[in-house]
Amino acid sequence: MAGSWLPRQLFLQGVAAVFLFAFASLYIQIPGLYGPEGILPARRTLRPQGKGPWQQLWETPTLLWEAPRLGLDTAQCLELLSLLGTLLALGALLLCQLRHLLIYLLLWAAYLSACQVGQVFLYFQWDSLLLEAGFLAVLVAPLRQPPHHKQPPQGRLAGTLPHEGLPFWLVRWLLFRLMFASGVVKLTSRCPAWWGLTALTYHYETQCLPTPASWFAHHLPVWLHKLSVVATFLIEIAVPPLFFAPARRLRLAAFYSQVLLQVLIIITGNYNFFNLLTLVLTTALLDDKHLAAESGNNHHKKIPASWPKALLALLSLLLELTVYGLLAYGTVHYFGLEVDWEKHTIHSRTTFTFHQFSQWLEMVTLPTMWLGGASLTWELLAALWRWTQVRGWLRKLCAAVQLSIFGTATVAMFLVSLVPYSYMEPSTHGRLWTGAHRLFGAVEHLQLANSYGLFRRMTGLGGRPEVVLEGSYDGHHWTEIEFMYKPGNVSRSPPIVVPHQPRLDWQMWFAALGPHTHSPWFTSLVLCLLQGKEPVIRLIQNDVARYPFHKQPPTYVRAQRYKYWFSQPGEQSQWWRRQWVEEFFPPVSLGDPTLDTLLRQFGLQDKSPPRARSSNNTLAQALHWVRKHLSSLEAPTLLWGLILAVGVIRVIQALLGPRSSRSSLHPREEKHRLAPKKDLGAATNQAAPAPNSCNSGSQTTRRKK
């Protein structure tokens, strides 16, 4: 069995990095989204109901209830949580000692607290995914990091605790649920674009925030788009069961297929931290042997394997060839792949019906649960066997307690996750064990397990709908209000904003898909623009001077709906072309009966003004000072600055690592390092040095052959 110590460390670092991006991105937007002058003030969501503090905290689990005790309003406390989350995540990313269970518990609790007041701007699947992955990181993170010289060797049992691999298995199960459900819902939605394999001929153009690469991808041949859809179905539906394959090469093949898909999505779309988080989840498919093989064993002659091992290797190879053959045959058969040698193209089409797919889904949903259960049972048995190898009655007792706690938590999390996973197949959901439903209902508000299904339907088949805001002083001459990130000016190239998520721009995309009454927050946005609220203006243009009404708020505001298409190759200085469709929001001004009616209808009238807070509060003054010095930075600039800072620190660690590694060698390792050449092989086999992935850049001492 190959160890998973290095993948676990990689997973913990990855989760910390995603938390870093999520908190920093949210922090920049808090005043405009949730501040007293924001679109949806956070203080409106936390209304004391006369309940006890613990009951109130359980029903609405957020640390923001403590804001009054700190002398802060809700938005200021949210800023404090975001800053603390950013700093804790940065520390966990850089310092091994901070990759601790309590640190990840604080990160998870802080983000859950933000989601409780985030309203529509934090209702995205990747926010739920981050909460679930963050809680799994709490279970995966150790209570204490072992010293450098005691870190477990790769692929060995020495120095490891029996329970350590159990919670990490849940990461693999989460990745399976995410990918398999995302593939299935594309077909259960009956979307004609997915069934006709033409989804990608629209996707690059109609997604929320395209990148410059999206324009080039959009103009690829149609047959290649259709073949890419086939590959998407293959990677999202057929490959995920291989996450639990007994042959590690099959798991590694599944890993690289998932990485390929996520990297291509990152290149062609601004999906904030979602794809980065998915890549972090794929670390559960790796092992120590693949990540960093022991350097001392790489140069030794391979000892001939015994006949049972040789037979096992042969059977594993036959299994791999069989799986690859079945995947190839199924792809060709079910998608009618045909090669046109004359035109140098590959034709594809779906050869199955919705009824056939529904029957297949009903047949396989429950078996996939049993597959997950069987894989978990194997992990439990392996952990139990590792426990039997523990020496010393006291260590064995401590290991038994930890194994019982983490084993129970792992099984409980698996049972809880079965309920949202079964949503994609109603009949299976109804047959699920009632105990799992009760367990899920008890913890549902904590978002420990969620249902997923990305890109369910392809929108904008006749052109991407886009809402364009306009302002005027006289009601006759209108000026467009340009956003920083979403399409507007047809001559402006699509931006690259990953890993930042401009949450207002994303909601503008959703608002354009229907009438404005389906997006009540839009009326509040119009009101804020009429009032000239600077925090909201900074969501549209961080440089206020670029906002067309920065000197005086507009007297009138309206919104128009357009259809946008990518420009054709050869069109000079244009990335888009557009056509007016209809009026999206009528012209209104302050005091307009139409505006007042909409505000009253949606409950957006602020009947309770914010409580006055003391301006002498030291914490509030510190938050104001930080905001003042960071407000001039655009969010992508801040996030890329953090990435650059992390990179520089990593380089410094790498340069200083070898010296610190040599100085901290365990005496046994030092003895092996100085062992005579003829005894080198024996010394290496007795005690292989552990890689120090906590101290990035530290390297084990190379042995000469």
Side-chain angles (χ1 to χ4, degrees):
M1 296 186 303
S4 62
W5 188 81
L6 283 176
R8 290 201 306 272
Q9 289 295 321
L10 195 59
F11 168 73
L12 292 175
Q13 292 180 71
V15 170
V18 175
F19 268 125
L20 172 68
F21 300 145
F23 279 120
S25 174
L26 179 62
Y27 171 78
I28 294 293
Q29 304 173 78
I30 288 174
L33 295 179
Y34 306 118
E37 297 185 339
I39 299 173
L40 297 176
R43 60 184 171 80
R44 299 179 186 173
T45 63
L46 295 182
R47 303 286 189 184
Q49 303 295 328
K51 301 177 181 177
W54 291 108
Q55 182 182 2
Q56 185 174 258
L57 182 62
W58 175 254
E59 293 180 357
T60 309
T62 175
L63 300 175
L64 299 176
W65 288 116
E66 300 301 312
R69 295 188 182 183
L70 298 175
L72 305 174
D73 61 33
T74 307
Q76 287 176 321
C77 194
L78 184 57
E79 287 189 25
L80 178 62
L81 280 181
S82 298
L83 285 174
L84 291 177
T86 302
L87 293 176
L88 286 176
L90 182 61
L93 178 59
L94 294 174
L95 300 176
C96 174
Q97 293 78 8
L98 291 181
R99 283 175 221 138
H100 188 277
L101 181 150
L102 292 178
I103 296 296
Y104 286 94
L105 182 61
L106 288 173
L107 290 171
W108 173 80
Y111 205 72
L112 178 64
S113 299
C115 289
Q116 295 300 312
V117 300
Q119 304 166 81
V120 69
F121 294 108
L122 274 169
Y123 281 173
F124 294 96
Q125 289 193 46
W126 34 83
D127 294 313
S128 299
L129 182 64
L130 179 55
L131 284 173
E132 187 169 350
F135 189 78
L136 295 186
V138 175
L139 299 178
V140 172
L143 284 170
R144 67 181 183 88
Q145 289 287 355
H148 166 59
H149 62 273
K150 291 186 178 181
Q151 288 165 0
Q154 303 155 10
R156 305 282 183 102
L157 297 177
T160 62
L161 295 172
H163 72 274
E164 286 184 343
L166 280 178
F168 196 47
W169 177 89
L170 289 170
V171 179
R172 192 189 312 177
W173 173 244
L174 172 57
L175 177 66
F176 170 80
R177 287 164 40 220
L178 171 67
M179 300 310 301
F180 188 72
S182 295
V184 164
V185 298
K186 292 177 174 61
L187 294 174
T188 57
S189 67
R190 300 196 185 196
C191 175
W194 286 115
W195 277 91
L197 306 181
T198 58
L200 292 185
T201 61
Y202 306 103
H203 166 73
Y204 301 113
E205 181 179 70
T206 61
Q207 61 184 320
C208 179
L209 297 177
T211 66
S214 304
W215 187 92
F216 296 96
H218 176 74
H219 292 293
L220 292 173
V222 173
W223 69 268
L224 188 55
H225 284 307
K226 299 180 72 173
L227 192 62
S228 299
V229 174
V230 173
T232 301
F233 285 135
L234 177 67
I235 293 174
E236 291 187 344
I237 298 178
V239 170
L242 299 183
F243 297 169
F244 308 105
R248 65 183 295 270
R249 283 196 295 242
L250 286 176
R251 297 195 300 272
L252 292 176
F255 164 78
Y256 284 109
S257 68
Q258 302 303 316
V259 169
L260 175 63
L261 177 63
Q262 299 307 318
V263 169
L264 290 176
I265 295 176
I266 290 173
I267 293 173
T268 57
N270 286 295
Y271 290 97
N272 50 82
F273 57 79
F274 165 62
N275 303 107
L276 301 176
L277 180 54
T278 307
L279 288 174
V280 170
L281 298 180
T282 61
T283 58
L285 304 177
L286 300 174
D287 53 47
D288 291 342
K289 182 179 178 182
H290 184 70
L291 280 177
E294 295 171 277
S295 59
N297 289 338
N298 285 345
H299 306 291
H300 297 313
K301 295 181 180 179
K302 292 184 178 180
I303 301 175
S306 59
W307 71 265
K309 290 186 177 180
L311 179 60
L312 190 61
L314 178 61
L315 292 176
S316 177
L317 178 60
L318 291 176
L319 174 64
E320 292 172 34
L321 294 176
T322 301
V323 169
Y324 295 143
L326 288 175
L327 288 176
Y329 171 78
T331 304
V332 173
H333 176 73
Y334 289 107
F335 293 100
L337 299 186
E338 296 179 358
V339 179
D340 188 334
W341 298 104
E342 294 182 359
K343 298 182 179 179
H344 301 92
T345 60
I346 300 178
H347 300 291
S348 54
R349 57 185 176 85
T350 51
T351 61
F352 53 93
T353 64
F354 176 79
H355 178 68
Q356 290 173 328
F357 180 76
S358 299
Q359 287 183 321
W360 175 85
L361 183 61
E362 182 179 358
M363 181 179 65
V364 303
T365 301
L366 196 58
T368 58
M369 297 181 183
W370 287 111
L371 174 64
S375 178
L376 177 56
T377 302
W378 174 260
E379 293 291 336
L380 289 168
L381 292 175
L384 188 61
W385 181 79
R386 289 194 296 269
W387 175 77
T388 63
Q389 308 304 305
V390 177
R391 295 292 177 259
W393 69 269
L394 185 58
R395 290 183 178 180
K396 202 157 194 169
L397 178 62
C398 293
V401 172
Q402 294 181 48
L403 180 58
S404 300
I405 294 174
F406 283 92
T408 302
T410 302
V411 173
M413 286 291 294
F414 173 69
L415 291 175
V416 167
S417 69
L418 293 179
V419 177
Y421 172 67
S422 64
Y423 287 160
M424 64 183 181
E425 213 292 297
S427 63
T428 303
H429 179 74
R431 298 199 306 268
L432 207 57
W433 179 46
T434 55
H437 285 282
R438 288 196 298 268
L439 191 60
F440 175 74
V443 298
E444 182 178 8
H445 64 294
L446 299 178
Q447 300 190 50
L448 301 183
N450 305 280
S451 61
Y452 303 101
L454 298 162
F455 307 108
R456 183 186 302 268
R457 297 189 65 88
M458 196 55 55
T459 59
L461 300 188
R464 67 172 292 145
E466 200 67 59
V467 171
V468 176
L469 279 163
E470 297 177 339
S472 172
Y473 289 120
D474 57 10
H476 300 287
H477 302 87
W478 296 89
T479 302
E480 291 189 9
I481 298 175
E482 182 81 7
F483 281 66
M484 285 186 289
Y485 308 116
K486 82 179 194 69
N489 186 342
V490 296
S491 300
R492 185 167 63 95
S493 67
I496 298 178
V497 300
V498 67
H500 171 58
Q501 180 181 2
R503 295 182 180 268
L504 176 59
D505 295 64
W506 267 85
Q507 285 300 331
M508 289 289 290
W509 182 80
F510 282 107
L513 301 178
H516 71 84
T517 52
H518 290 179
S519 304
W521 59 267
F522 190 86
T523 303
S524 181
L525 170 63
V526 171
L527 175 64
C528 291
L529 295 180
L530 288 170
Q531 294 173 337
K533 302 293 188 183
E534 183 175 330
V536 176
I537 292 173
R538 285 188 176 276
L539 293 177
I540 298 174
Q541 286 292 341
N542 191 66
D543 183 2
V544 178
R546 301 182 62 181
Y547 180 68
F549 302 99
H550 64 278
K551 294 182 179 180
Q552 180 183 348
T555 307
Y556 301 93
V557 169
R558 71 179 184 184
Q560 308 285 349
R561 196 197 315 265
Y562 285 82
K563 286 288 183 71
Y564 275 67
W565 298 270
F566 271 138
S567 62
Q568 294 298 319
E571 294 185 29
Q572 297 294 327
S573 304
Q574 280 198 342
W575 288 83
W576 300 95
R577 49 193 177 87
R578 72 180 188 178
Q579 179 181 341
W580 181 85
V581 178
E582 61 183 350
E583 183 179 76
F584 179 79
F585 194 91
V588 293
S589 60
L590 291 176
D592 189 294
T594 301
L595 180 62
D596 292 341
T597 300
L598 289 172
L599 291 172
R600 187 167 52 253
Q601 176 184 344
F602 298 136
L604 296 173
Q605 287 182 321
D606 199 353
K607 299 178 181 179
S608 56
R611 296 179 182 177
R613 300 290 178 185
S614 174
S615 58
N616 296 325
N617 187 308
T618 304
L619 188 54
Q621 289 177 347
L623 290 172
H624 176 72
W625 183 86
V626 174
R627 172 67 61 184
K628 180 180 178 181
H629 285 78
L630 293 180
S631 60
S632 60
L633 293 176
E634 289 190 16
T637 304
L638 175 62
L639 266 63
W640 279 102
L642 288 172
I643 294 173
L644 181 60
V646 170
V648 170
I649 295 174
R650 288 291 194 181
V651 170
I652 294 174
Q653 288 178 334
L655 293 175
L656 300 179
R659 181 183 302 174
S660 62
S661 176
R662 286 193 297 269
S663 63
S664 61
L665 277 177
H666 190 271
R668 180 185 297 269
E669 295 181 357
E670 182 69 16
K671 179 180 177 181
H672 292 157
R673 189 175 68 86
L674 301 175
K677 294 181 180 179
K678 63 180 180 180
D679 296 332
L680 179 61
T684 305
N685 289 331
Q686 289 174 9
N692 183 18
S693 72
C694 290
N695 185 6
S696 178
S698 296
Q699 301 173 358
T700 55
T701 307
R702 288 189 174 271
R703 294 168 172 78
K704 297 180 181 178
K705 184 173 179 180

